Amino acid sequence: MNIRRVLLAATISAGLSLGLALPAHASEIRPSSLSGEDIQAAVDHHFANLSAQPVQPKGSMAGTDAVGDTYRVSVTGQQYGTESPDILTSCRNPGATCSLSRAVTMSATVSGGFGLSAGAVSAQAGLSYSVSVSDTVSCTSPVLGYNQLYIARPSGTFVFYNVDRYNLFGFHTGTERGTAFFPTGVSCRVIYG
């Protein structure tokens, strides 16, 4: 048996037998107490701070890195029916209707949280979201005004999560908050533009 695992198990066992518990992170986001404007600000911040390629966790196994540290992902809130700012397709037809029809593939995005990938967040937090979703946009607009545009955007679940990291002895070494967007379908709407 790996010596790190033995030490980790012994440390956790000793901590539990002494009744030790980790305190909640003082700056933890509680989405249930956020207003609609605060949630929209978090969504805007998420999409504004995406890197081109999400950083993969170190090591070969989700939940550990190369030096023996481990992490635990916990979901602190979910906002369903969130729209991504990305426009998949659009049409304009002043004084009449227009239709959107297109096959699309949408990818999950992640921001913060020790650079975990969307797949690692979903798996480690016990979520069942896919990191890629294919769908067909098929929407018809109402009668559009002169300055109106009919658009389709990815729609899905916006997730707030915390990542707690522990060293190989089981001691808490840091917490970082993150957000993730998991597309589940497409939303069509009229906007001005």
Side-chain angles (χ1 to χ4, degrees):
M1 182 177 250
N2 187 326
I3 189 70
R4 288 182 186 169
R5 289 189 179 145
V6 171
L7 288 172
L8 179 61
T11 303
I12 291 171
S13 177
L16 291 174
S17 66
L18 293 173
L20 300 176
L22 294 173
H25 191 262
S27 60
E28 180 177 309
I29 295 175
R30 301 245 181 241
S32 60
S33 65
L34 295 178
S35 70
E37 290 176 3
D38 291 335
I39 290 174
Q40 186 59 51
V43 170
D44 293 343
H45 183 267
H46 169 86
F47 285 102
N49 290 290
L50 294 177
S51 58
Q53 287 289 342
V55 177
Q56 298 297 320
K58 297 177 191 172
S60 60
M61 183 176 124
T64 65
D65 72 16
V67 295
D69 287 1
T70 60
Y71 63 83
R72 184 181 70 223
V73 178
S74 57
V75 172
T76 59
Q78 297 182 62
Q79 181 70 29
Y80 304 99
T82 302
E83 287 184 2
S84 162
D86 299 331
I87 296 176
L88 299 168
T89 187
S90 66
C91 63
R92 187 185 303 266
N93 194 9
T97 63
C98 64
S99 296
L100 301 176
S101 180
R102 181 178 169 193
V104 294
T105 299
M106 303 162 287
S107 297
T109 56
V110 67
S111 179
F114 288 117
L116 297 183
S117 69
V121 171
S122 183
Q124 291 294 313
L127 302 172
S128 58
Y129 295 113
S130 299
V131 297
S132 180
V133 173
S134 295
D135 200 355
T136 301
V137 178
S138 182
C139 304
T140 300
S141 75
V143 175
L144 297 172
Y146 175 74
N147 61 344
Q148 291 183 321
L149 182 67
Y150 194 54
I151 63 167
R153 288 181 170 152
S155 178
T157 304
F158 190 73
V159 176
F160 295 85
Y161 67 91
N162 286 346
V163 180
D164 291 298
R165 187 174 290 279
Y166 301 88
N167 66 18
L168 71 111
F169 300 108
F171 294 107
H172 187 258
T173 58
T175 298
E176 188 171 324
R177 294 184 306 259
T179 54
F181 173 74
F182 294 96
T184 56
V186 175
S187 175
C188 297
R189 70 168 53 225
V190 175
I191 64 168
Y192 290 93

